[in-house]
Amino acid sequence: MDAKSRLEERAGEFLIRPMQPEDIPAVMEIDRESFPNPWPENTYLYELRENRMSHLLVIQPRESPQLVGVAGYWLVVDEAHISTFAIHPDWRGRGAGAVLLDGILHQAAGLGAGSAMLEVRAGNLAAQALYRKFGFQTVGCRKGYYKDNGEDALLMTAERLSEYETALTRKDQK
Ligand SMILES: CC(C)(COP(=O)(O)OP(=O)(O)OC[C@H]1O[C@@H](n2cnc3c(N)ncnc32)[C@H](O)[C@@H]1OP(=O)(O)O)[C@@H](O)C(=O)NCCC(=O)NCCS
């Protein structure tokens, strides 16, 4: 099965929707399992209610209301800066990350983003592999960016978002 068919099959298993304030406890649980410095509740409240540049999405299995992942980005002019991205450990490796990343890139492109960027820990090879699959390339390194352990951040960008049909099938790759 090719990458596009696999993504379509996986997309059928999940539902992506905008995050609501009621989702904060479940999202904070995903964060606690995923990051050394999870966002506090106030940050989510600010991002949801005050920050007009912020877009937060959650993903759940179609058959269940349980949230299995969260993703966010700030749309600054025509660039989407991915602010958070995590799948609950119990659900990793089942395609939810790919479906969610495809979802936010689509949404951002639809809102006018021409490119996307993010920082990722130099040692986070799983996330880097996922991002590369969606056209992200490493364009820089921020030395000692992560204060908890001094780890470097890789800066990754994806260009020409407006050309995505689905992120795994850019028009020029058909
Ligand atoms: C990175 C993360 C979001 C991936 O989510 P996921 O649902 O497990 O990813 P998927 O199952 O959709 O996998 C999609 C692709 O990502 C890559 N990938 C995922 N897990 C991987 C692993 N452990 N090792 C290598 N590549 C991996 C693969 O290329 C995979 O494609 P494939 O299924 O065709 O092999 C998840 O591991 C996570 O939440 N990690 C902790 C938080 C985090 O690191 N967030 C990113 C911050 S920048």
Side-chain angles (χ1 to χ4, degrees):
M1 191 186 286
D2 65 17
K4 183 186 176 197
S5 309
R6 196 162 63 239
L7 181 66
E8 280 170 356
E9 187 179 278
R10 287 166 161 182
E13 296 167 22
F14 295 100
L15 186 72
I16 297 174
R17 62 169 175 79
M19 182 179 168
Q20 307 295 333
E22 303 74 57
D23 298 322
I24 291 176
V27 164
M28 288 180 68
E29 172 63 19
I30 295 167
D31 276 4
R32 269 194 297 274
E33 297 281 347
S34 302
F35 300 120
N37 297 307
W39 283 2
E41 183 179 17
N42 278 350
T43 300
Y44 276 108
L45 286 171
Y46 172 77
E47 295 292 315
L48 289 169
R49 292 185 172 155
E50 314 278 339
N51 187 353
R52 287 169 177 269
M53 291 188 296
S54 183
H55 300 265
L56 284 162
L57 298 176
V58 289
I59 184 167
Q60 62 190 78
R62 266 185 207 280
E63 309 302 327
S64 147
Q66 177 197 358
L67 297 191
V68 301
V70 60
Y73 64 94
W74 298 301
L75 183 58
V76 185
V77 194
D78 61 351
E79 183 176 76
H81 184 155
I82 296 181
S83 55
T84 187
F85 196 93
I87 300 296
H88 191 286
D90 292 348
W91 283 84
R92 290 181 195 159
R94 302 199 217 175
V99 172
L100 185 56
L101 185 55
D102 187 62
I104 63 170
L105 293 177
H106 265 295
Q107 189 193 72
L111 293 173
S115 62
M117 64 89 66
L118 56 86
E119 289 101 10
V120 57
R121 285 177 190 260
N124 190 349
L125 301 182
Q128 289 165 38
L130 169 64
Y131 296 137
R132 270 197 304 275
K133 252 187 182 164
F134 282 77
F136 283 83
Q137 294 181 326
T138 302
V139 294
C141 176
R142 300 195 205 279
K143 285 275 169 206
Y145 180 83
Y146 294 100
K147 299 296 169 230
D148 59 308
N149 65 350
E151 195 170 354
D152 296 345
L154 300 186
L155 183 62
M156 300 184 82
T157 62
E159 304 296 333
R160 297 189 289 136
L161 280 200
S162 58
E163 293 176 21
Y164 281 160
E165 186 180 276
T166 82
L168 281 180
T169 54
R170 284 175 169 219
K171 282 182 182 147
D172 56 4
Q173 289 178 351
K174 273 186 189 164

Short mmCIF file of all heavy atoms in Angstrom, two decimals, residues 91-139:
data_model
loop_
_atom_site.label_atom_id
_atom_site.label_comp_id
_atom_site.label_asym_id
_atom_site.label_seq_id
_atom_site.Cartn_x
_atom_site.Cartn_y
_atom_site.Cartn_z
N TRP A 91 -1.15 5.28 22.31
CA TRP A 91 -1.67 5.34 20.93
C TRP A 91 -0.60 5.58 19.89
O TRP A 91 -0.90 5.70 18.70
CB TRP A 91 -2.75 6.43 20.84
CG TRP A 91 -4.03 5.96 21.43
CD1 TRP A 91 -4.38 5.99 22.76
CD2 TRP A 91 -5.12 5.35 20.74
NE1 TRP A 91 -5.61 5.43 22.93
CE2 TRP A 91 -6.10 5.03 21.70
CE3 TRP A 91 -5.36 5.03 19.41
CZ2 TRP A 91 -7.30 4.41 21.37
CZ3 TRP A 91 -6.56 4.42 19.07
CH2 TRP A 91 -7.52 4.11 20.05
N ARG A 92 0.65 5.63 20.31
CA ARG A 92 1.71 5.91 19.33
C ARG A 92 1.92 4.71 18.41
O ARG A 92 1.62 3.57 18.78
CB ARG A 92 3.02 6.26 20.05
CG ARG A 92 2.90 7.62 20.72
CD ARG A 92 4.18 8.02 21.45
NE ARG A 92 3.86 9.15 22.35
CZ ARG A 92 4.58 9.51 23.39
NH1 ARG A 92 5.70 8.85 23.69
NH2 ARG A 92 4.20 10.52 24.14
N GLY A 93 2.42 4.98 17.23
CA GLY A 93 2.71 3.91 16.28
C GLY A 93 1.49 3.38 15.55
O GLY A 93 1.57 2.36 14.87
N ARG A 94 0.37 4.07 15.67
CA ARG A 94 -0.85 3.60 14.99
C ARG A 94 -1.35 4.60 13.95
O ARG A 94 -2.50 4.53 13.51
CB ARG A 94 -1.96 3.39 16.01
CG ARG A 94 -1.61 2.40 17.09
CD ARG A 94 -2.89 1.92 17.73
NE ARG A 94 -2.73 1.73 19.15
CZ ARG A 94 -3.73 1.41 19.97
NH1 ARG A 94 -4.95 1.30 19.50
NH2 ARG A 94 -3.50 1.24 21.25
N GLY A 95 -0.53 5.57 13.63
CA GLY A 95 -0.88 6.48 12.55
C GLY A 95 -1.56 7.78 12.99
O GLY A 95 -1.81 8.66 12.17
N ALA A 96 -1.84 7.91 14.28
CA ALA A 96 -2.55 9.11 14.73
C ALA A 96 -1.69 10.37 14.51
O ALA A 96 -2.21 11.43 14.11
CB ALA A 96 -2.93 9.00 16.21
N GLY A 97 -0.38 10.25 14.73
CA GLY A 97 0.50 11.41 14.55
C GLY A 97 0.48 11.88 13.10
O GLY A 97 0.40 13.09 12.82
N ALA A 98 0.54 10.93 12.17
CA ALA A 98 0.54 11.30 10.75
C ALA A 98 -0.79 11.96 10.37
O ALA A 98 -0.81 12.96 9.67
CB ALA A 98 0.78 10.06 9.89
N VAL A 99 -1.89 11.39 10.86
CA VAL A 99 -3.20 11.96 10.53
C VAL A 99 -3.33 13.37 11.11
O VAL A 99 -3.82 14.29 10.44
CB VAL A 99 -4.34 11.04 11.06
CG1 VAL A 99 -5.70 11.70 10.89
CG2 VAL A 99 -4.31 9.69 10.33
N LEU A 100 -2.85 13.55 12.33
CA LEU A 100 -2.96 14.86 12.98
C LEU A 100 -2.07 15.90 12.29
O LEU A 100 -2.49 17.04 12.06
CB LEU A 100 -2.60 14.73 14.47
CG LEU A 100 -2.78 15.97 15.33
CD1 LEU A 100 -4.20 16.51 15.27
CD2 LEU A 100 -2.40 15.68 16.79
N LEU A 101 -0.86 15.50 11.92
CA LEU A 101 0.03 16.45 11.25
C LEU A 101 -0.56 16.85 9.89
O LEU A 101 -0.56 18.02 9.52
CB LEU A 101 1.43 15.85 11.09
CG LEU A 101 2.50 16.78 10.52
CD1 LEU A 101 2.62 18.08 11.33
CD2 LEU A 101 3.85 16.08 10.44
N ASP A 102 -1.07 15.84 9.18
CA ASP A 102 -1.72 16.14 7.90
C ASP A 102 -2.87 17.13 8.13
O ASP A 102 -3.05 18.09 7.36
CB ASP A 102 -2.26 14.84 7.29
CG ASP A 102 -2.79 15.04 5.89
OD1 ASP A 102 -2.03 15.42 5.02
OD2 ASP A 102 -4.00 14.83 5.68
N GLY A 103 -3.63 16.90 9.22
CA GLY A 103 -4.77 17.77 9.52
C GLY A 103 -4.37 19.20 9.78
O GLY A 103 -4.99 20.15 9.26
N ILE A 104 -3.31 19.40 10.58
CA ILE A 104 -2.96 20.80 10.88
C ILE A 104 -2.32 21.49 9.68
O ILE A 104 -2.54 22.67 9.46
CB ILE A 104 -2.10 20.98 12.17
CG1 ILE A 104 -0.76 20.31 12.06
CG2 ILE A 104 -2.86 20.57 13.40
CD1 ILE A 104 0.16 20.72 13.23
N LEU A 105 -1.57 20.72 8.88
CA LEU A 105 -0.97 21.36 7.69
C LEU A 105 -2.05 21.78 6.70
O LEU A 105 -1.98 22.85 6.10
CB LEU A 105 0.05 20.42 7.04
CG LEU A 105 1.30 20.14 7.87
CD1 LEU A 105 2.21 19.15 7.16
CD2 LEU A 105 2.08 21.42 8.20
N HIS A 106 -3.06 20.92 6.56
CA HIS A 106 -4.18 21.28 5.70
C HIS A 106 -4.90 22.53 6.20
O HIS A 106 -5.22 23.44 5.43
CB HIS A 106 -5.23 20.17 5.69
CG HIS A 106 -5.06 19.25 4.57
ND1 HIS A 106 -5.22 19.63 3.26
CD2 HIS A 106 -4.72 17.95 4.53
CE1 HIS A 106 -4.99 18.61 2.49
NE2 HIS A 106 -4.68 17.58 3.23
N GLN A 107 -5.18 22.53 7.49
CA GLN A 107 -5.93 23.66 8.03
C GLN A 107 -5.11 24.94 7.86
O GLN A 107 -5.63 25.97 7.44
CB GLN A 107 -6.27 23.45 9.52
CG GLN A 107 -7.22 24.52 10.01
CD GLN A 107 -7.35 24.54 11.53
OE1 GLN A 107 -6.43 24.94 12.23
NE2 GLN A 107 -8.49 24.11 12.01
N ALA A 108 -3.81 24.86 8.20
CA ALA A 108 -2.96 26.05 8.11
C ALA A 108 -2.89 26.55 6.67
O ALA A 108 -2.98 27.76 6.41
CB ALA A 108 -1.57 25.73 8.66
N ALA A 109 -2.74 25.62 5.73
CA ALA A 109 -2.68 26.02 4.31
C ALA A 109 -3.98 26.70 3.91
O ALA A 109 -3.98 27.71 3.21
CB ALA A 109 -2.40 24.80 3.43
N GLY A 110 -5.09 26.13 4.40
CA GLY A 110 -6.40 26.71 4.07
C GLY A 110 -6.58 28.11 4.64
O GLY A 110 -7.33 28.93 4.10
N LEU A 111 -5.87 28.39 5.73
CA LEU A 111 -5.96 29.72 6.36
C LEU A 111 -4.90 30.67 5.80
O LEU A 111 -4.75 31.78 6.31
CB LEU A 111 -5.81 29.59 7.88
CG LEU A 111 -6.96 28.87 8.59
CD1 LEU A 111 -6.62 28.64 10.07
CD2 LEU A 111 -8.26 29.66 8.47
N GLY A 112 -4.13 30.19 4.82
CA GLY A 112 -3.20 31.10 4.14
C GLY A 112 -1.74 30.89 4.46
O GLY A 112 -0.89 31.67 4.02
N ALA A 113 -1.41 29.82 5.21
CA ALA A 113 0.01 29.59 5.51
C ALA A 113 0.72 29.09 4.27
O ALA A 113 0.26 28.16 3.60
CB ALA A 113 0.16 28.57 6.63
N GLY A 114 1.86 29.69 3.97
CA GLY A 114 2.68 29.24 2.84
C GLY A 114 3.77 28.31 3.29
O GLY A 114 4.32 27.53 2.51
N SER A 115 4.10 28.38 4.59
CA SER A 115 5.17 27.52 5.11
C SER A 115 4.87 27.19 6.57
O SER A 115 4.02 27.82 7.21
CB SER A 115 6.53 28.23 5.00
OG SER A 115 6.51 29.41 5.79
N ALA A 116 5.57 26.16 7.06
CA ALA A 116 5.43 25.78 8.47
C ALA A 116 6.81 25.60 9.05
O ALA A 116 7.76 25.23 8.34
CB ALA A 116 4.63 24.48 8.59
N MET A 117 6.95 25.88 10.34
CA MET A 117 8.24 25.67 10.99
C MET A 117 8.02 25.14 12.39
O MET A 117 6.94 25.27 12.98
CB MET A 117 9.08 26.97 11.01
CG MET A 117 8.51 28.13 11.80
SD MET A 117 9.00 28.14 13.54
CE MET A 117 10.76 28.41 13.39
N LEU A 118 9.05 24.52 12.93
CA LEU A 118 8.96 23.96 14.28
C LEU A 118 10.37 23.75 14.83
O LEU A 118 11.34 23.72 14.08
CB LEU A 118 8.20 22.63 14.26
CG LEU A 118 8.73 21.55 13.33
CD1 LEU A 118 9.82 20.70 14.00
CD2 LEU A 118 7.61 20.65 12.88
N GLU A 119 10.44 23.62 16.15
CA GLU A 119 11.68 23.19 16.79
C GLU A 119 11.45 21.79 17.33
O GLU A 119 10.37 21.49 17.85
CB GLU A 119 12.05 24.09 17.98
CG GLU A 119 12.52 25.47 17.59
CD GLU A 119 11.42 26.51 17.77
OE1 GLU A 119 10.37 26.18 18.36
OE2 GLU A 119 11.61 27.64 17.28
N VAL A 120 12.46 20.94 17.22
CA VAL A 120 12.35 19.57 17.74
C VAL A 120 13.68 19.21 18.40
O VAL A 120 14.74 19.62 17.93
CB VAL A 120 11.97 18.59 16.59
CG1 VAL A 120 12.96 18.63 15.44
CG2 VAL A 120 11.79 17.17 17.12
N ARG A 121 13.61 18.45 19.49
CA ARG A 121 14.83 18.04 20.18
C ARG A 121 15.72 17.24 19.23
O ARG A 121 15.23 16.37 18.49
CB ARG A 121 14.50 17.19 21.41
CG ARG A 121 13.96 18.00 22.56
CD ARG A 121 13.58 17.13 23.74
NE ARG A 121 12.85 17.93 24.71
CZ ARG A 121 13.38 18.45 25.82
NH1 ARG A 121 14.64 18.22 26.13
NH2 ARG A 121 12.65 19.20 26.63
N ALA A 122 17.01 17.53 19.31
CA ALA A 122 17.96 16.85 18.40
C ALA A 122 17.87 15.34 18.57
O ALA A 122 18.08 14.59 17.62
CB ALA A 122 19.38 17.34 18.67
N GLY A 123 17.55 14.87 19.79
CA GLY A 123 17.49 13.43 20.04
C GLY A 123 16.14 12.80 19.75
O GLY A 123 15.98 11.59 19.90
N ASN A 124 15.17 13.58 19.34
CA ASN A 124 13.81 13.07 19.12
C ASN A 124 13.67 12.57 17.67
O ASN A 124 13.09 13.22 16.81
CB ASN A 124 12.78 14.16 19.43
CG ASN A 124 11.37 13.63 19.45
OD1 ASN A 124 11.12 12.50 19.04
ND2 ASN A 124 10.44 14.45 19.92
N LEU A 125 14.22 11.38 17.45
CA LEU A 125 14.30 10.87 16.08
C LEU A 125 12.93 10.47 15.54
O LEU A 125 12.68 10.58 14.33
CB LEU A 125 15.27 9.68 16.03
CG LEU A 125 16.70 9.99 16.48
CD1 LEU A 125 17.59 8.77 16.34
CD2 LEU A 125 17.30 11.17 15.72
N ALA A 126 12.03 10.01 16.43
CA ALA A 126 10.69 9.61 15.97
C ALA A 126 9.96 10.82 15.37
O ALA A 126 9.41 10.76 14.27
CB ALA A 126 9.89 9.02 17.12
N ALA A 127 9.98 11.93 16.11
CA ALA A 127 9.28 13.12 15.62
C ALA A 127 9.94 13.64 14.34
O ALA A 127 9.25 14.02 13.39
CB ALA A 127 9.27 14.20 16.70
N GLN A 128 11.28 13.63 14.31
CA GLN A 128 11.95 14.13 13.10
C GLN A 128 11.57 13.28 11.88
O GLN A 128 11.36 13.81 10.78
CB GLN A 128 13.47 14.09 13.29
CG GLN A 128 13.97 15.14 14.28
CD GLN A 128 15.39 14.86 14.72
OE1 GLN A 128 16.22 14.40 13.95
NE2 GLN A 128 15.65 15.11 15.99
N ALA A 129 11.46 11.95 12.09
CA ALA A 129 11.08 11.07 10.96
C ALA A 129 9.67 11.42 10.49
O ALA A 129 9.40 11.48 9.28
CB ALA A 129 11.16 9.61 11.39
N LEU A 130 8.79 11.64 11.45
CA LEU A 130 7.42 12.01 11.08
C LEU A 130 7.42 13.32 10.28
O LEU A 130 6.82 13.41 9.20
CB LEU A 130 6.57 12.18 12.35
CG LEU A 130 5.19 12.81 12.18
CD1 LEU A 130 4.29 11.93 11.33
CD2 LEU A 130 4.54 13.05 13.55
N TYR A 131 8.12 14.33 10.78
CA TYR A 131 8.11 15.64 10.10
C TYR A 131 8.73 15.53 8.70
O TYR A 131 8.24 16.15 7.75
CB TYR A 131 8.86 16.68 10.95
CG TYR A 131 8.20 16.95 12.28
CD1 TYR A 131 8.95 17.08 13.44
CD2 TYR A 131 6.81 17.09 12.38
CE1 TYR A 131 8.35 17.33 14.67
CE2 TYR A 131 6.21 17.33 13.61
CZ TYR A 131 6.98 17.46 14.75
OH TYR A 131 6.38 17.70 15.96
N ARG A 132 9.82 14.75 8.59
CA ARG A 132 10.45 14.62 7.27
C ARG A 132 9.49 14.01 6.26
O ARG A 132 9.46 14.39 5.09
CB ARG A 132 11.72 13.77 7.36
CG ARG A 132 12.98 14.61 7.65
CD ARG A 132 14.24 13.83 7.32
NE ARG A 132 14.29 12.56 8.04
CZ ARG A 132 14.74 12.42 9.27
NH1 ARG A 132 15.21 13.46 9.94
NH2 ARG A 132 14.73 11.23 9.84
N LYS A 133 8.68 13.05 6.75
CA LYS A 133 7.69 12.42 5.85
C LYS A 133 6.73 13.43 5.26
O LYS A 133 6.16 13.22 4.20
CB LYS A 133 6.88 11.41 6.64
CG LYS A 133 7.23 10.04 6.27
CD LYS A 133 6.39 9.00 6.86
CE LYS A 133 7.00 7.71 6.35
NZ LYS A 133 6.61 6.56 7.05
N PHE A 134 6.54 14.52 5.97
CA PHE A 134 5.59 15.55 5.52
C PHE A 134 6.31 16.73 4.89
O PHE A 134 5.77 17.83 4.85
CB PHE A 134 4.70 15.97 6.68
CG PHE A 134 3.62 14.96 6.96
CD1 PHE A 134 3.92 13.80 7.64
CD2 PHE A 134 2.33 15.16 6.50
CE1 PHE A 134 2.94 12.84 7.87
CE2 PHE A 134 1.35 14.21 6.73
CZ PHE A 134 1.66 13.04 7.41
N GLY A 135 7.54 16.51 4.46
CA GLY A 135 8.22 17.54 3.69
C GLY A 135 9.05 18.51 4.49
O GLY A 135 9.63 19.45 3.92
N PHE A 136 9.16 18.31 5.81
CA PHE A 136 10.00 19.22 6.60
C PHE A 136 11.47 18.88 6.39
O PHE A 136 11.84 17.71 6.30
CB PHE A 136 9.67 19.09 8.09
CG PHE A 136 8.41 19.77 8.51
CD1 PHE A 136 7.17 19.15 8.35
CD2 PHE A 136 8.44 21.05 9.08
CE1 PHE A 136 6.00 19.77 8.72
CE2 PHE A 136 7.27 21.68 9.47
CZ PHE A 136 6.04 21.03 9.30
N GLN A 137 12.27 19.94 6.34
CA GLN A 137 13.71 19.76 6.23
C GLN A 137 14.39 20.55 7.34
O GLN A 137 13.89 21.60 7.74
CB GLN A 137 14.21 20.29 4.89
CG GLN A 137 13.69 19.49 3.72
CD GLN A 137 14.19 20.00 2.38
OE1 GLN A 137 14.38 21.20 2.22
NE2 GLN A 137 14.39 19.09 1.45
N THR A 138 15.52 20.03 7.81
CA THR A 138 16.26 20.72 8.86
C THR A 138 16.99 21.91 8.25
O THR A 138 17.74 21.76 7.28
CB THR A 138 17.27 19.77 9.52
OG1 THR A 138 16.55 18.65 10.03
CG2 THR A 138 18.02 20.46 10.66
N VAL A 139 16.74 23.10 8.82
CA VAL A 139 17.37 24.30 8.25
C VAL A 139 18.27 25.02 9.25
O VAL A 139 18.92 26.00 8.91
CB VAL A 139 16.32 25.31 7.71
CG1 VAL A 139 15.58 24.72 6.51
CG2 VAL A 139 15.35 25.72 8.80
#
